[in-house]
Amino acid sequence: MTLKIYLTPNIEKLTRLIENSHGNVLLRLSDNTLHSLKNDESAALFLKQEADKCHGVEIHLSDTKDYFKFVNFIMGGCV
């Protein structure tokens, strides 16, 4: 599953959501490569930098159990 998330400067909740997800959470970069947000520190740093700029990112979820938690976050659970 692919989701587009527009980030706010406070990403602690998103970080906890990623850490507690059942499956892998992958970040798609502009060169179309995918990087694990659970295992790749440079991807996590990129996510923080994009949040500081209030940019959006594209993530991919490997486990459908995580989908509704991320949708809740996108719909306003991030504040």
Side-chain angles (χ1 to χ4, degrees):
M1 273 173 268
T2 302
L3 298 169
K4 181 78 171 187
I5 298 178
Y6 291 92
L7 301 167
T8 62
N10 182 352
I11 63 163
E12 285 96 18
K13 187 170 183 175
L14 178 58
T15 301
R16 283 192 306 274
L17 185 61
I18 292 166
E19 290 171 357
N20 294 323
S21 61
H22 295 283
N24 204 355
V25 180
L26 302 172
L27 174 69
R28 180 181 297 276
L29 299 180
S30 59
D31 64 359
N32 286 328
T33 59
L34 296 172
H35 298 269
S36 173
L37 286 168
K38 285 185 160 184
N39 303 317
D40 185 339
E41 289 182 29
S42 63
L45 178 61
F46 178 81
L47 182 69
K48 172 144 180 34
Q49 290 169 345
E50 292 301 291
D52 290 343
K53 300 173 192 172
C54 294
H55 288 170
V57 295
E58 185 176 315
I59 61 169
H60 298 265
L61 305 174
S62 67
D63 194 317
T64 56
K65 293 178 214 160
D66 298 320
Y67 179 74
F68 289 109
K69 293 176 186 175
F70 279 85
V71 168
N72 181 54
F73 175 83
I74 293 167
M75 297 301 293
C78 59
V79 289

